[in-house]
Amino acid sequence: MAEASGEGGASDAGARAGDRTAALTSFFRDHPRLRTLAVAGPPYAVLLLFFAIPLLAMLVVSFQTGEIGGPWTLRNYMDFLGSSTYLTVVWKTLVISVQVTFIVAVIGYALAYSIVRFSRRTTLLLLLVILPFWTSYIIRMYAWINILQSDGVLDSTLNMLGLPAVSLLYSDPAVLIGFTYVWLPLAVLPFYASLTNLDGDLIEASKDLGAGPVRTFLSVTLPMTINGVVTGVILVFIPTFGSFITPRLLGGTNNIMIGMVIENQFKSAFNWPFGAAIGMVISVVVVALLVLGTRLGGGLFATGGEEA
Amino acid sequence: MREFDDSLPSVNRRSFLQGASAAGITAAAGCLGGGGGGDGRVPMDVEEWPPEDIGGSLNMWNWYDSWAEWAMEAFGEEFDVEVSNTGYSSPDQWYSQLEAGNSDIDNIAATTNWVERSIENDFLHELPVDIMPAWDNITDRIKEASSYQKDGSVYAVPESLVLYPLTYNDEYFDEAPSSWGVLWDEEHEGNICMWDNATVSCQIAAMYTGQDPIQPDDYEEIEEVLIQQKPLLQTYWGDYQQGMSLFVNEDVVAGPLTMGRTYTARFGEGAPVHYTAPEEGAMYTSDLFVIPKGSPNPIASLQFTNWATETENAAKLFETMGYQPAVDISDELSEEDAEFTNWPDDWNLIFSETLSDEVRSRYDEIWTAVKAA
C-alpha cells in the first residue's frame, strides 16, 4: 500500500507533518506557561523523582524508631547531636575534608594553569587527567595499597635511591594521598574551563601596571576564575565528606569518617532511621558550610578584585 | 506452536475478553512475583524426587565466587539449565530486592541472621527437605546450630560453616596462641590487626574479658579493652581481601580472619598462616541456600539446592573457597586439607546467634566510640 501512494503520498505526509509542527508551535506561542512547563518540566521531574522524593523519604525515615514504619520519634536526632562521640567523628571528617579540598585545589589549580598556559598538547594532558576515572574506584585504592605498603612500590623505589623506607599505608598521609589522587580530576576540569576563558590581556595589563606575578595572580587570575575554583572545591569537598572506602582501605586506626558510621548503620547495625538521621544532619551541615564558604570566598576575592 | 491462519473462525468478543482477562491476571501474577515459576509450581508442590520439568534457567546470588563459577557450569551441563550468578559483597544488596518484591532471584547463599530476617518477613519459600535426597548429607552439628525453621517448616538448607577464628603467622609463633589476649600483648605492638566490624570486634573483646558475646553484661569493660588495644594495632581491616593481604604480606602476625580467607592465604598465596579457636572461644555461623518468593525458576532452584548439597559438589566448596561445607566431606579431602580443616572436638565454638537490637546497638556505639577515641 505504501508503494501505491508513491511520491505524492510522501509529499502529503511531509506536508501534514509540517502542518502539525506549525500548529504545535502556534499552540505553545499562545500558551507561554505551557511552553515553560514543556521546557522546564522534564528536568524538574527528574530532580523531583531522583532527588527530592528520596530526600523526603530519608527525612521521614529519620523520624522513625528502630525500623522503617516504626513509631515516630526525635530520638535519632537527639542521640546523634547529644553524643560527643558522633560529634567528634563529624569534626574529624570536617578536618580531613578541608585538608583534602585544600590540597586538591592547590595541586589541581597549578596543574590546570600549567596545561592552559604552558602546553600545546592540552587535549592529551586533559585525557591523562581524566584517565583514572576509567578504572574502578576500589581497584585504584588497591593500587595505592600496593604502592604505599611496607616494601611496596614507594618503599622499593626509595630503597633503590638509598633513602629510608616510609611505609605510609594505614596512616593519615595515606588517606590524604588516596583522596587527592581520586578527586584531582574533578577539580582540574572546572579549573581548566575557567582558566581557558581568562582574558590574557588582563594579565598583561596587570604586569604593565607594575604588579608582580603573585599580585597579578591574586588580583587578576584568581578572582577572574573564582567560579571555576568554587565549583572545583564543591565537587571535591562534598564527596570527601561522605567517603568511607578510602579511609577504610588506606587509613589506620584513627581515620574514622562520618560516612563510615552511616554505612555501618545501614549495613551492619540495621538501624536505618538512625543512619538516615545522621545523613540528614550531615546534608544540612555540608550545605551550610558550602553556602558560608562560597559567600566568604566570594567576598574575599571580590575585595581583591576591587583592589586590582 | 500454531501459526496464524486466516481460515480459523473469528473469535467472538466475549471469548476474547475472557481470554484477555485470564492472560492479564496471569501476567500480573508474574509481575507481582507470585513465586510460582513458569508453570505456577512452588517447591512444596514437588512430592517426588527428582522434580519434573525444572525449567531452563536459574539466577543465583552466591558470594562464594570461585565455587559459583564452577557450579554454574557443572550444574548447567548436568541439567541443561542456563545458570547465571550475581556475586554480592553485602547481604543488604539482595535483601533490599526481596523487600521490593523479588522477581529475578532464584537462589541465594545467605548468612544465618539474614535468613532469619527473611523467614520472619515471609520472604522465603518453604522447602520439601523430606524428599530431597541430599538433605541427609547435612551434618547434625550444623542442623542443630543453624536457624532455618519456623513453626516446624524448613526454609533453608545449610551450605557452609563460617568460622571466625584467630589467624596467626605460624612461623612467628612456635605454637598456636591459646588466648585472644595475644591481640592485647604489647610484645606484638604494630604487628596485629582487628576487624573493622562492630559485632566481631566487640564479641572478641567480650570473649577476652570472659563475657558472653551474645549477651554481655559489662559493655564498659568491652569498650575499655578495645580502646586499650588501639595503639597496639597496625590497622582495622574492613575488606576481606585487605584482611587476607595483611597476613599474606606479613604486615601482621595475628588477628581475626575467616577460615576461608585463611585457607586461601595459606594454600593459594603461600602465606605462613594457620588458625585456632582460643580457649575463650571462637564464633561461627552458617551460610544457607534459600529460595526467595517471587523466584521465576523455583523448581530449578530446588534442584540446584539438592545438587549443591551432594557430597562431591559440596567438597568443591572447600577446595575452592576454604569454607567448611555443611556436608561431611572427610572422605573427599586430601591429607593436607584434612589436617587444616579438622577441628579438635574440644574447641569452644559459639554459634553467632542473631543479636538482640539492644546488644547490636550497644556494640555499634562502642565501636564508633573506640574508633573515634
Side-chain angles (χ1 to χ4, degrees):
Chain A
M1 285 181 63
E3 283 176 12
S5 61
E7 279 183 22
S11 168
D12 289 347
R16 280 198 297 273
D19 290 346
R20 278 199 297 271
T21 307
L24 204 61
T25 308
S26 171
F27 175 78
F28 278 121
R29 192 185 302 126
D30 296 340
H31 299 83
R33 286 187 179 176
L34 274 179
R35 187 179 58 198
T36 308
L37 189 68
V39 174
Y44 275 107
V46 169
L47 279 176
L48 186 73
L49 206 60
F50 297 108
F51 181 74
I53 292 177
L55 199 65
L56 193 66
M58 199 168 92
L59 183 68
V60 170
V61 169
S62 72
F63 286 106
Q64 294 179 330
T65 308
E67 58 185 29
I68 294 173
W72 298 98
T73 183
L74 280 172
R75 176 152 190 170
N76 296 320
Y77 287 93
M78 291 162 63
D79 284 351
F80 180 68
L81 296 171
S83 163
S84 60
T85 299
Y86 293 117
L87 296 181
T88 303
V89 176
V90 173
W91 174 248
K92 287 189 172 192
T93 307
L94 186 64
V95 170
I96 292 175
S97 301
V98 170
Q99 288 174 334
V100 169
T101 306
F102 179 76
I103 294 169
V104 171
V106 170
I107 297 175
Y109 200 93
L111 193 57
Y113 192 84
S114 63
I115 290 174
V116 173
R117 298 281 292 173
F118 306 121
S119 176
R120 291 178 182 173
R121 297 181 181 277
T122 51
T123 308
L124 177 68
L125 290 171
L126 280 177
L127 187 70
L128 289 175
V129 167
I130 61 171
L131 205 59
F133 270 140
W134 298 354
T135 308
S136 155
Y137 189 110
I138 300 279
I139 290 174
R140 281 183 279 163
M141 287 302 103
Y142 272 103
W144 275 108
I145 289 176
N146 282 324
I147 293 169
L148 299 175
Q149 69 189 6
S150 56
D151 300 329
V153 176
L154 180 62
D155 281 0
S156 302
T157 308
L158 290 173
N159 285 336
M160 278 171 57
L161 297 171
L163 298 168
V166 286
S167 298
L168 286 178
L169 190 60
Y170 309 128
S171 66
D172 295 356
V175 175
L176 294 179
I177 290 170
F179 273 134
T180 302
Y181 170 75
V182 166
W183 303 138
L184 197 60
L186 285 181
V188 169
L189 293 178
F191 292 171
Y192 172 81
S194 61
L195 282 163
T196 307
N197 293 326
L198 180 63
D199 188 348
D201 291 345
L202 292 174
I203 295 174
E204 293 303 320
S206 172
K207 287 177 179 172
D208 289 347
L209 291 170
V214 174
R215 188 168 173 81
T216 299
F217 176 77
L218 292 174
S219 305
V220 178
T221 311
L222 199 52
M224 294 299 289
T225 56
I226 193 64
N227 286 341
V229 173
V230 170
T231 306
V233 164
I234 289 172
L235 286 175
V236 172
F237 184 82
I238 291 179
T240 307
F241 208 92
S243 290
F244 54 90
I245 293 174
T246 300
R248 171 164 288 170
L249 290 179
L250 302 182
T253 53
N254 288 316
N255 296 101
I256 187 171
M257 292 182 73
I258 198 66
M260 298 159 81
V261 177
I262 295 173
E263 184 213 12
N264 190 53
Q265 294 305 318
F266 282 92
K267 291 175 77 171
S268 301
F270 309 140
N271 195 345
W272 289 24
F274 189 50
I278 301 175
M280 290 307 301
V281 174
I282 295 309
S283 300
V284 171
V285 169
V286 169
V287 170
L289 283 172
L290 286 173
V291 170
L292 189 70
T294 307
R295 290 195 172 182
L296 276 178
L300 283 173
F301 290 123
T303 306
E306 283 163 15
E307 282 178 357
Chain B
M1 191 173 156
R2 192 178 65 188
E3 290 182 7
F4 180 72
D5 186 347
D6 275 336
S7 66
L8 285 172
S10 60
V11 180
N12 70 40
R13 189 164 163 265
R14 179 170 295 188
S15 301
F16 173 79
L17 289 174
Q18 283 175 341
S21 303
I25 291 167
T26 308
C31 290
L32 292 170
D39 58 4
R41 286 184 299 164
V42 296
M44 287 306 285
D45 290 337
V46 176
E47 293 175 345
E48 289 184 348
W49 202 267
E52 293 181 350
D53 303 328
I54 65 170
S57 58
L58 174 71
N59 313 316
M60 59 184 194
W61 280 51
N62 192 303
W63 61 358
Y64 296 123
D65 293 337
S66 303
W67 181 82
E69 198 175 322
W70 168 83
M72 282 165 64
E73 191 177 338
F75 179 78
E77 280 182 9
E78 187 172 338
F79 291 93
D80 192 23
V81 172
E82 191 176 325
V83 189
S84 65
N85 182 54
T86 303
Y88 63 93
S89 57
S90 174
D92 60 293
Q93 289 171 271
W94 58 258
Y95 191 81
S96 58
Q97 293 217 34
L98 267 51
E99 284 182 309
N102 171 52
S103 60
D104 296 323
I105 309 173
D106 292 312
N107 193 285
I108 306 170
T111 306
T112 295
N113 55 350
W114 289 89
V115 170
E116 288 180 357
R117 294 183 83 195
S118 301
I119 292 173
E120 285 302 316
N121 287 295
D122 197 24
F123 288 159
L124 305 180
H125 276 303
E126 187 182 347
L127 304 179
V129 291
D130 291 340
I131 64 161
M132 293 169 68
W135 175 249
D136 291 337
N137 296 340
I138 310 290
T139 61
D140 289 340
R141 178 186 201 173
I142 198 164
K143 277 183 183 171
E144 287 162 12
S146 300
S147 305
Y148 52 82
Q149 291 179 313
K150 185 182 179 188
D151 302 330
S153 299
V154 176
Y155 292 90
V157 172
E159 179 189 22
S160 62
L161 280 167
V162 179
L163 181 65
Y164 299 122
L166 170 64
T167 297
Y168 62 94
N169 183 314
D170 62 0
E171 288 177 355
Y172 180 87
F173 292 97
D174 295 332
E175 58 184 25
S178 59
S179 166
W180 286 109
V182 71
L183 300 180
W184 276 263
D185 189 339
E186 291 180 4
E187 187 186 339
H188 313 303
E189 182 178 351
N191 292 318
I192 46 183
C193 65
M194 279 291 268
W195 191 336
D196 189 2
N197 179 303
T199 300
V200 171
S201 293
C202 288
Q203 286 186 324
I204 288 172
M207 289 184 284
Y208 170 59
T209 55
Q211 300 182 58
D212 177 357
I214 307 297
Q215 189 61 58
D217 48 32
D218 191 343
Y219 293 105
E220 286 180 9
E221 190 179 18
I222 290 173
E223 182 174 333
E224 192 179 319
V225 295
L226 286 171
I227 290 174
Q228 282 172 6
Q229 182 197 47
K230 198 171 167 180
L232 305 178
L233 299 174
Q234 171 147 151
T235 192
Y236 299 120
W237 63 265
D239 174 89
Y240 290 103
Q241 179 65 32
Q242 182 192 12
M244 190 178 77
S245 296
L246 284 169
F247 285 94
V248 171
N249 296 332
E250 300 191 44
D251 288 329
V252 297
V253 297
L257 191 68
T258 61
M259 176 192 169
R261 287 291 178 170
T262 308
Y263 176 88
T264 305
R266 183 182 176 94
F267 297 107
E269 304 286 342
V273 291
H274 214 319
Y275 67 97
T276 186
E279 59 190 18
E280 298 96 342
M283 308 298 295
Y284 76 106
T285 186
S286 64
D287 282 349
L288 310 99
F289 291 114
V290 296
I291 304 177
K293 288 186 174 174
S295 153
N297 306 289
I299 310 303
S301 182
L302 184 67
Q303 177 66 274
F304 174 78
T305 302
N306 185 79
W307 175 88
T309 315
E310 290 170 1
T311 308
E312 62 271 28
N313 300 330
K316 193 75 178 175
L317 177 70
F318 182 79
E319 194 182 303
T320 50
M321 299 300 296
Y323 288 96
Q324 184 84 276
V327 172
D328 181 3
I329 56 163
S330 47
D331 292 342
E332 307 278 330
L333 292 172
S334 67
E335 192 177 331
E336 191 180 45
D337 283 348
E339 187 277 325
F340 181 84
T341 191
N342 285 338
W343 307 329
D345 289 335
D346 61 351
W347 269 9
N348 176 18
L349 301 183
I350 305 162
F351 190 74
S352 186
E353 289 174 35
T354 301
L355 299 175
S356 67
D357 287 346
E358 190 216 335
V359 174
R360 201 171 53 227
S361 172
R362 292 299 299 270
Y363 276 172
D364 185 63
E365 286 170 18
I366 288 170
W367 191 237
T368 306
V370 169
K371 291 184 70 183

